Amino acid sequence: MCGIVGYVGSKDALPILLGGLEALEYRGYDSSGLALVRGGAVEVTRATGKLAELKKLFAQRAGDTKEPATQGIGHTRWATHGRPTETNAHPHSAGRVSLIHNGIIENYLELRASLEKQGCVFKSETDTEVAAHLLNTLLEKGLETREAFRQMCQAVRGSYAFLAIDQKTPGHIYVAKNSTPIILGRGEGESFIASDIPALLPHTRRIIVLEDGDLADVSADFIYLENRGTPIERREEQVTWDPITAQKGGFKHFMLKEIFDQAQVVGDTIRGRFSIETGAIMLPELAALETAAQRLRRVVLVACGTAWHACLEGKFFIENFAKIPCEVDYASEFRYRPQLFDADTLVIAVSQSGETLDTLGAIECAKGKALTLAVCNVVGASICRRADMVLYTHAGPEISVASTKAFSTQLIALELLGLFLAEKRGVMSADQRRSILEMMIHVPAAISAALKVEPQVIAAAKSFCTARDFLFLGRGTCYPIALEGALKLKEISYIHAEGYPAGEMKHGPIALIDERMPVVVILQRDKLLFEKTLSNLKEVEARGAKVLVITDAADDKTLGVVADSIIRVPYVSPELSPLLLNIPLQMLAYHVAVMNGTDVDLPRNLAKSVTVE
Ligand code: AGP
């Protein structure tokens, strides 16, 4: 997965492209590059490492050229084929062509062999370079640029967002999309292209989201569009996102800002979606479920990573509220197993980005056989366009690779979905729904209160930050939170951590416990779970572990005896405990990572939106 930008107009393209790449750096950051069109010539500059390295090159050259380039394309890469070297960085050039690509060309080896036979000499190890050579070869045969670009796309198998420049047709950027996002932005006498909205926001709010099979010939004043060879028009949309929401807002890292955004975005996600007076859940976007809800016999939740943890919580909502058997599956596993479901099954894909390839693949497998629903944060994302229905979370742009606020909005959206299904199936009275909703409206304030535990979390992080292994334990709805706490710590601090159901620990992981192993126990107020988890905690304490308890339970003397530190968050309701108990875990991961000096927002080897298998 990579970040792509393009500009054609009358302004200096360089700062526009570099600014766009900066906004997209979360999509890939092992190398970057630009192709600028100046006076009919194309200049390509590439650098390995973060975007700062590319910027340095341009800073060194400042003043070398009098005429600013008014057209260009840029790329920030996350390697799939070929190491992160300068030669493998985009744009790739071949003859008249400069081209950038996000995606994977599956038939690149056969294309490369055939092009080599025709005399093409390859410089990189990438799949992308075949597209550049193929396009140039077609141009050399005398084809007009748009037609050559069309034929190149037809020859390629796989996923792509391509941007290409032909030296002989300055003023045009050729764009194509298949299974990889790309958006066009319109200005006055200028056009923009980007993989994602934040890169466009400083320049325009008028966007066109391209669909699979779309090809665009973009110039300053005009955008020609076709889909699989047929000229089309696509609706221009107005983006309402505030550009400041895509900035760090004064925090040291996007991750911390996003943790602190949670009261706001959880409120945004529930606002206007229910009536406290009647207990009705108002989700008109799920109209197709109103009648189908009665006949549903099974729900399958699919996702990856943090979104998969949200699904584990979703299972509780759907089974407890709507009384429908519910399974949770990793999207990458689900898509390659026999699909033994029918029209009475609802398959729900949960994804922040809406672009995760495995989750997209899962929804594609289910499409046509079962009812499909996406719970997603990005309007118009690929998963949303494939699913029969979409329930949007309103977390706003999540920039940090480690997902925090998206997770909380997924939990609350899945709770609303559980209540909606319960209402439509007639298995929960209006009074019961009302009492749950009455607690739900207090969640934003409770999150704000939970965020105040940061000083205690910092103290705990100080005592644990040198540990090399962590264990996170929880029962019931706190088990997914244990998994999520461990994942967050692994992702950004590179410390090994495991999440385990507290009751399962005695069947193996207990062997790992000694005084060097911090154990984080997530303990909710629920009487049965509290008592049972407390017994497990005693087992851990007896083996010398350092114990940090995160709880929403009232003060308990026993707890003080077995725990080294206790962090308390407000209690709202049994269903919403996990959302609040997760907040100190997000902060713990963040502060341990900061203390260990890692790159919190751009952790090594990870990318925000995983559009490869
Ligand atoms: C979370 O911190 C991760 N970086 C990752 O697990 C993520 O949740 C996963 O890749 C799924 O992404 P999605 O929600 O955009 O589909």
Side-chain angles (χ1 to χ4, degrees):
M1 79 226 50
C2 307
I4 283 182
V5 290
Y7 174 77
V8 53
S10 54
K11 296 186 188 137
D12 185 353
L14 181 62
I16 295 173
L17 295 172
L18 287 176
L21 289 182
E22 201 169 340
L24 297 179
E25 215 182 356
Y26 68 91
R27 297 179 68 88
Y29 35 81
D30 64 45
S31 56
S32 54
L34 289 184
L36 294 169
V37 183
R38 201 189 309 270
V42 180
E43 301 159 13
V44 173
T45 310
R46 302 182 295 183
T48 51
K50 291 199 175 164
L51 188 63
E53 301 305 316
L54 186 71
K55 284 184 174 170
K56 265 189 222 157
L57 294 179
F58 284 105
Q60 284 157 12
R61 289 184 208 157
D64 287 3
T65 43
K66 287 186 193 73
E67 282 291 302
T70 55
Q71 178 187 354
I73 55 177
H75 189 269
T76 175
R77 179 170 185 248
W78 187 77
T80 55
H81 289 76
R83 289 158 298 137
T85 59
E86 190 188 325
T87 331
N88 287 336
H90 301 215
H92 289 280
S93 306
R96 294 156 54 175
V97 171
S98 294
L99 178 141
I100 58 181
H101 165 227
N102 179 17
I104 291 181
I105 301 174
E106 287 167 5
N107 57 339
Y108 85 104
L109 285 175
E110 58 191 78
L111 288 174
R112 182 168 171 145
S114 141
L115 287 161
E116 278 172 337
K117 268 192 206 143
Q118 295 169 55
C120 295
V121 178
F122 283 79
K123 298 183 202 88
S124 78
E125 302 158 315
T126 65
D127 52 343
T128 304
E129 198 183 351
V130 299
H133 278 288
L134 182 55
L135 178 54
N136 188 57
T137 307
L138 292 163
L139 289 169
E140 279 175 355
K141 285 183 181 155
L143 289 180
E144 172 269 332
T145 316
R146 195 188 290 168
E147 177 56 22
F149 185 68
R150 187 182 292 129
Q151 288 194 18
M152 182 278 285
C153 294
Q154 283 163 358
V156 161
R157 207 173 58 234
S159 59
Y160 55 75
F162 284 126
L163 260 64
I165 287 175
D166 173 10
Q167 210 170 329
K168 293 209 176 150
T169 54
H172 294 259
I173 300 176
Y174 301 90
V175 184
K177 175 195 177 324
N178 188 44
S179 301
T180 301
I182 197 86
I183 298 158
L184 309 183
R186 289 193 130 147
E188 291 306 318
E190 57 186 356
S191 299
F192 305 84
I193 307 149
S195 311
D196 203 354
I197 293 168
L200 300 177
L201 285 185
H203 311 290
T204 183
R205 292 175 171 278
R206 298 164 54 202
I207 65 157
I208 299 169
V209 180
L210 294 193
E211 298 280 342
D212 283 351
D214 279 1
L215 182 151
D217 178 349
V218 179
S219 46
D221 298 308
F222 185 69
I223 295 177
Y224 165 82
L225 274 172
E226 63 177 45
N227 183 276
R228 302 181 210 285
T230 308
I232 48 153
E233 288 198 6
R234 291 234 174 270
R235 198 165 54 89
E236 189 178 296
E237 293 171 46
Q238 194 74 18
V239 186
T240 51
W241 279 359
D242 176 350
I244 301 161
T245 61
Q247 305 297 319
K248 284 185 201 162
F251 288 93
K252 191 172 171 201
H253 294 98
F254 279 115
M255 183 179 174
L256 192 59
K257 174 195 172 285
E258 288 162 4
I259 290 172
F260 276 84
D261 276 350
Q262 291 179 106
Q264 170 77 42
V265 299
V266 165
D268 291 346
T269 302
I270 56 177
R271 189 165 304 117
R273 286 177 150 173
F274 55 80
S275 156
I276 284 283
E277 289 70 40
T278 63
I281 311 298
M282 293 150 1
L283 298 173
E285 59 274 55
L286 306 188
L289 263 186
E290 291 199 11
T291 45
Q294 288 285 357
R295 64 175 163 82
L296 286 181
R297 285 187 301 152
R298 190 175 160 207
V299 173
V300 184
L301 285 151
V302 290
C304 304
T306 287
W308 184 78
H309 298 153
C311 290
L312 294 176
E313 297 291 356
K315 176 179 162 74
F316 288 97
F317 297 132
I318 290 166
E319 291 188 340
N320 291 349
F321 296 167
K323 313 287 180 222
I324 315 173
C326 181
E327 295 150 45
V328 179
D329 214 341
Y330 285 116
S332 56
E333 294 292 321
F334 172 88
R335 56 189 297 208
Y336 295 115
R337 266 209 294 274
Q339 313 294 323
L340 303 176
F341 44 76
D342 55 23
D344 295 340
T345 303
L346 172 65
V347 175
I348 305 173
V350 179
S351 174
Q352 186 284 128
S353 62
E355 300 297 343
T356 302
L357 193 75
D358 282 320
T359 312
L360 182 61
I363 212 86
E364 269 165 359
C365 285
K367 184 122 180 109
K369 297 180 203 129
L371 264 176
T372 57
L373 163 64
V375 176
C376 188
N377 191 42
V378 180
V379 176
S382 304
I383 291 170
C384 305
R385 296 205 295 280
R386 289 307 185 290
D388 299 322
M389 295 155 275
V390 187
L391 176 60
Y392 283 110
T393 51
H394 296 309
E398 191 180 60
I399 306 297
S400 180
V401 167
S403 185
T404 52
K405 61 177 180 170
F407 177 72
S408 294
T409 59
Q410 285 161 355
L411 294 195
I412 207 97
L414 288 168
E415 183 172 17
L416 277 178
L417 177 64
L419 290 171
F420 176 86
L421 289 171
E423 181 186 349
K424 301 302 166 212
R425 288 165 69 80
V427 293
M428 195 188 238
S429 71
D431 276 350
Q432 284 171 305
R433 291 196 306 273
R434 217 177 287 134
S435 65
I436 292 173
L437 294 170
E438 269 160 8
M439 294 184 278
M440 197 188 266
I441 51 172
H442 296 298
V443 176
I447 295 175
S448 299
L451 290 166
K452 299 210 169 87
V453 300
E454 196 183 16
Q456 293 161 59
V457 176
I458 293 173
K462 269 189 195 138
S463 50
F464 295 141
C465 67
T466 53
R468 291 320 307 152
D469 300 280
F470 273 72
L471 195 57
F472 289 72
L473 302 176
R475 271 180 184 260
T477 54
C478 288
Y479 164 52
I481 298 307
L483 292 175
E484 176 59 8
L487 177 68
K488 217 85 302 169
L489 189 72
K490 278 186 270 208
E491 280 190 294
I492 59 168
S493 71
Y494 318 145
I495 294 173
H496 170 245
E498 285 194 49
Y500 239 81
E504 184 64 16
M505 183 202 51
K506 56 187 174 292
H507 298 289
I510 198 161
L512 295 170
I513 293 175
D514 63 17
E515 58 291 343
R516 284 167 303 171
M517 166 86 91
V519 179
V520 182
V521 181
I522 302 112
L523 198 55
Q524 68 193 121
R525 181 175 283 219
D526 175 284
K527 192 168 183 308
L528 181 71
L529 294 181
F530 183 89
E531 282 170 6
K532 297 223 172 283
T533 313
L534 194 60
S535 312
N536 304 132
L537 201 163
K538 286 177 183 160
E539 293 156 11
V540 166
E541 191 256 348
R543 281 154 184 89
K546 292 263 172 305
V547 178
L548 167 62
V549 170
I550 312 287
T551 188
D552 58 3
D555 207 1
D556 181 293
K557 287 199 183 76
T558 347
L559 206 54
V561 176
V562 286
D564 292 275
S565 354
I566 303 172
I567 294 177
R568 271 203 175 74
V569 297
Y571 173 78
V572 176
S573 70
E575 298 82 22
L576 291 161
S577 268
L579 198 160
L580 292 157
L581 290 166
N582 186 45
I583 289 171
L585 300 184
Q586 297 171 337
M587 287 179 170
L588 180 70
Y590 173 79
H591 286 291
V592 168
V594 170
M595 287 169 196
N596 281 296
T598 62
D599 194 344
V600 173
D601 283 332
L602 300 174
R604 70 185 183 200
N605 305 339
L606 294 177
K608 183 66 182 163
S609 176
V610 185
T611 53
V612 291
E613 278 201 63

